[in-house]
Amino acid sequence: MSLETTEISVFVSVVKLGSFARAAQEHGMTPSGVSRVVSRLEERLAVRLLQRSTRRLSLTESGAVLFRRGQRVLQQLQQTESEVTAASRHPKGVIRVNVPVVFGRQHIVPLLKPLRDRYPELSIELELSDRFIDLIDGGVDLAIRIGALEDSRLVARRLCANRRLLVASPAYIRRHGVPREPKELSDHQCLIFTALEKPRHWRLQGPEGTVSVPVAGPVVCNNGEVLTEAAKAGLGIAMGVTFSIADALLSGDLVRVLPEYEFEPSAVHAVYPSARQLSRKVRAVVDFLAESLPGPPSWDLALRGKVVGFEPTP
């Protein structure tokens, strides 16, 4: 006995849409035809999959199992089909990509030429912005997001870790000393990054778990690169993302503060709108980014053994 893909697809549609009539519209069938497919499926499996009433449909325990696994099977088949199709054709056309300013300038712009060398029929419309963009409403094909992902309408592919350290200049340390524990940060000049959820409460992870410390300081900005320059100038202690501060750490312009602590784990993701079939151009670019920005990323590997307490993570 084997299940037909069409039967599974029809059954999954009935459950997701909550109606034989809506599932019939999606599959170009009649409601009675959909009902026969579900009944035939129940007969072959010798189990009841749906409890039917005049008002609603509800899953039985067996139906819930089939629905959950059936969804997974259909998604895998869809992904396989997309991959096979993409491999047989060259991606082409315009792809709109939204990227945070600093990460885009430092790590995406250098990839444009190799991306075009691989896919010469592809045109990239690159938007650098730290403002939150609704990909669906804005007509954006692909975005790079750093940190928490909240939009359930998007599909995300993790590219690499995003490490965030406490840093300051040697000149600042000479003038103000170095904090020995997180609570002492409240007595220091801290540079505030407004893109954090709570910019004036730094959540750090260390040997004893997570701690939250209230901070204040002379510079507040929504651009991490500006705060890095302010830290290098000796204006205070900053949250530094390793993709942006690696060179300054290696040159000694910045040093790590409280090396047993860093900000809560984060990651760099490629995100795109959920769709029944992922376009060839989006899949090609996502695969290229995953290949070009593997974990651990090159900027973290460069710090191994050269920055106290730092060990790269995937």
Side-chain angles (χ1 to χ4, degrees), residues 19-268:
S19 164
F20 285 93
R22 292 176 186 171
Q25 289 179 339
E26 183 170 90
H27 288 272
M29 302 170 64
T30 63
S32 59
V34 169
S35 180
R36 283 194 297 272
V37 169
V38 174
S39 296
R40 186 166 62 245
L41 193 55
E42 289 177 326
E43 290 174 3
R44 291 174 62 194
L45 296 173
V47 294
R48 172 75 67 178
L49 299 173
L50 292 171
Q51 298 290 358
R52 303 161 175 81
S53 71
T54 55
R55 294 186 177 181
R56 61 189 296 269
L57 299 172
S58 60
L59 283 169
T60 63
E61 184 176 351
S62 297
V65 171
L66 181 61
F67 175 68
R68 184 172 60 252
R69 296 184 180 176
Q71 274 190 309
R72 194 153 49 229
V73 167
L74 293 173
Q75 289 169 356
Q76 290 172 345
L77 287 172
Q78 179 184 326
Q79 182 177 354
T80 300
E81 180 181 352
S82 297
E83 290 174 353
V84 170
T85 302
S88 65
R89 300 179 186 176
H90 297 292
K92 60 183 178 180
V94 177
I95 180 168
R96 295 189 62 198
V97 184
N98 175 265
V99 187
V101 175
V102 177
F103 189 85
R105 188 181 63 78
Q106 295 183 353
H107 300 291
I108 298 300
V109 171
L111 296 177
L112 295 181
K113 186 179 185 306
L115 176 61
R116 280 274 299 151
D117 288 344
R118 181 177 296 186
Y119 303 117
E121 296 182 81
L122 195 64
S123 297
I124 303 98
E125 187 175 314
L126 187 65
E127 180 182 48
L128 300 182
S129 173
D130 290 326
R131 183 171 59 89
F132 178 84
I133 301 293
D134 186 304
L135 272 62
I136 296 174
D137 292 344
V140 176
D141 298 301
L142 174 67
I144 300 297
R145 293 273 169 87
I146 301 174
L149 301 175
E150 298 178 355
D151 194 337
S152 61
R153 300 173 301 168
L154 303 180
V155 178
R157 180 168 177 179
R158 188 182 188 278
L159 299 177
C160 60
N162 176 50
R163 302 286 290 278
R164 302 175 294 171
L165 315 180
L166 290 165
V167 294
S169 71
Y172 177 88
I173 297 300
R174 286 194 297 270
R175 288 196 306 270
H176 300 279
V178 60
R180 302 296 178 184
E181 52 186 328
K183 66 181 182 181
E184 294 181 13
L185 290 168
S186 297
D187 300 322
H188 279 264
Q189 300 295 307
C190 295
L191 309 178
I192 308 302
F193 184 44
T194 56
L196 293 176
E197 183 179 358
K198 294 183 178 180
R200 291 175 173 80
H201 282 82
W202 285 355
R203 288 178 59 84
L204 304 171
Q205 286 195 336
E208 298 179 358
T210 302
V211 295
S212 179
V213 185
V215 295
V219 179
V220 178
C221 186
N222 67 343
N223 183 282
E225 199 168 30
V226 169
L227 295 178
T228 297
E229 292 303 312
K232 288 164 64 176
L235 292 175
I237 298 173
M239 178 196 78
V241 288
T242 55
F243 69 71
S244 182
I245 63 169
D247 288 344
L249 286 170
L250 293 172
S251 68
D253 290 338
L254 291 174
V255 295
R256 191 173 184 185
V257 175
L258 290 171
E260 292 184 337
Y261 292 85
E262 62 183 87
F263 286 77
E264 291 181 304
S266 177
V268 179

